[in-house]
């Protein structure tokens, strides 16, 4: 209670080589002393000479940082741990030359084909100072629980199909990822003229059955040819086709 942190450092997401400053401010009854620490993977260490309220950094690798504040009576408090996320591979021209820290998308999600019951994962990433927050949408509807870079659904359902996109935002503005389609489907056993196989189909599926041999009806003229021609047409229209004969 003798020391109160009045300004916490904030997490950032920046390109490699970017220069910025972490800030920590505190109030106490006596003179205060500051010491910054960093953690990379499981290794936490004191940063030599980092004894000011401000910590200048040139981004090299993703790390965690905290600041210890103590007074002359051996009271001490630590700031929040913050993450400095460093993007090693950023496309040429990003961030913009006059970048003020607004969100910039550096990784868009990709189209997914997922079987029912299997995990669904979409991923995006954005730079920003402070680090952006994320919100995912499906078919224009907000997904209340999906507020991270990675959207994760443990067991996909047919109702999870749709068009997804994510909004990255901070106090400088917001930016949206590209919209991508997610297709959730079933796996189907396939049988082609007596030869058995297996495969997985998703999205628009056509099942064609060409019967030629009937017990109480004359044989048809050309069911094999009809199935073949119709299969070509449906495939041209974007269907996955399963063809069965007799």
């Amino acid at each position: 209670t003798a020391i109160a942190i009045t300004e916490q450092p904030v997490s950032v997401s920046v390109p490699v080589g970017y220069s910025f400053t972490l800030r920590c401010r505190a109030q106490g009854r006596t003179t205060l002393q500051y010491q910054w620490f960093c953690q990379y993977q499981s290794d936490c260490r004191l940063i030599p000479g980092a004894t000011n309220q401000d910590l200048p950094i040139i981004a090299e690798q993703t790390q965690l940082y905290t600041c210890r504040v103590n007074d002359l009576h051996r009271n001490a408090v630590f700031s929040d741990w913050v993450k400095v996320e460093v993007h090693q591979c950023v496309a040429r021209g990003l961030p913009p030359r006059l970048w003020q820290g607004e969100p910039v998308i550096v990784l868009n999600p990709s189209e997914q084909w997922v079987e029912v019951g299997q995990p669904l994962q979409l991923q995006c990433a954005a730079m920003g100072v402070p680090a952006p927050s994320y919100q995912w949408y499906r078919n224009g509807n907000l997904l209340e629980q999906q507020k991270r870079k990675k959207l994760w659904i443990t067991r996909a359902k047919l109702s999870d199909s749709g068009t997804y996109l994510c909004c990255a935002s901070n106090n400088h503005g917001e930016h949206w990822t590209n919209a991508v389609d997610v297709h959730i489907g079933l796996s189907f056993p396939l049988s082609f003229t007596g030869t058995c196989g297996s495969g997985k189909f998703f999205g628009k599926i056509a099942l064609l059955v060409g019967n030629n041999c009937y017990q109480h009806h004359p044989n048809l003229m050309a069911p094999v040819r009809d199935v073949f021609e119709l299969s070509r047409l449906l495939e041209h229209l974007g269907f996955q086709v399963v063809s069965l004969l007799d």
Side-chain angles (χ1 to χ4, degrees), residues 15-16 87-96 104-108 127:
V16 63
H87 296 274
Q88 299 289 342
C89 299
V90 176
R92 186 174 182 179
L94 291 178
V104 175
I105 302 296
V106 295
L107 175 65
N108 280 287
M127 297 185 299

Side-chain angles (χ1 to χ4, degrees), residues 114-149:
V114 179
E115 186 178 339
V116 169
Q118 296 301 307
L120 165 63
Q121 178 178 291
L122 293 173
Q123 185 172 356
C124 70
M127 297 185 299
V129 181
S133 58
Y134 296 87
Q135 177 61 63
W136 286 90
Y137 294 78
R138 181 182 67 240
N139 299 331
N141 299 314
L142 182 147
L143 299 174
E144 186 63 38
Q145 304 302 318
Q146 302 292 348
K147 297 180 180 291
R148 298 186 178 184
K149 289 188 298 183

Side-chain angles (χ1 to χ4, degrees), residues 215-233:
Q215 184 176 359
H216 301 292
H217 192 284
N219 288 350
L220 301 181
M221 293 294 295
V224 175
R225 186 190 65 190
D226 293 342
V227 167
F228 175 74
E229 294 293 337
L230 189 54
S231 295
R232 291 203 308 174
L233 174 62

Side-chain angles (χ1 to χ4, degrees), residues 78-226:
F78 282 84
S79 73
D80 296 338
W81 281 96
V82 295
K83 185 177 184 179
V84 174
E85 183 180 39
V86 180
H87 296 274
Q88 299 289 342
C89 299
V90 176
R92 186 174 182 179
L94 291 178
R97 173 176 291 183
L98 300 179
W99 189 46
Q100 300 297 313
E102 67 276 11
V104 175
I105 302 296
V106 295
L107 175 65
N108 280 287
S110 57
E111 186 175 15
Q112 299 289 318
W113 300 75
V114 179
E115 186 178 339
V116 169
Q118 296 301 307
L120 165 63
Q121 178 178 291
L122 293 173
Q123 185 172 356
C124 70
M127 297 185 299
V129 181
S133 58
Y134 296 87
Q135 177 61 63
W136 286 90
Y137 294 78
R138 181 182 67 240
N139 299 331
N141 299 314
L142 182 147
L143 299 174
E144 186 63 38
Q145 304 302 318
Q146 302 292 348
K147 297 180 180 291
R148 298 186 178 184
K149 289 188 298 183
K150 292 183 179 180
L151 177 147
W152 177 260
I153 296 174
T154 305
R155 296 174 61 86
K157 306 182 297 294
L158 288 174
S159 59
D160 293 320
S161 297
T163 301
Y164 287 73
L165 74 168
C166 185
C167 178
S169 62
N170 62 14
N171 55 12
H172 295 293
E174 63 182 31
H175 204 89
W176 295 76
T177 67
N178 295 338
V180 297
D181 291 329
V182 171
H183 312 274
I184 310 297
L186 301 169
S187 62
F188 296 89
L190 308 185
S191 178
F192 297 94
T193 61
T195 301
C196 296
S198 64
K200 296 179 180 178
F201 292 91
F202 311 95
K204 297 188 295 183
I205 304 167
L207 172 63
L208 303 182
V209 181
N211 286 330
N212 187 48
C213 300
Y214 289 88
Q215 184 176 359
H216 301 292
H217 192 284
N219 288 350
L220 301 181
M221 293 294 295
V224 175
R225 186 190 65 190
D226 293 342

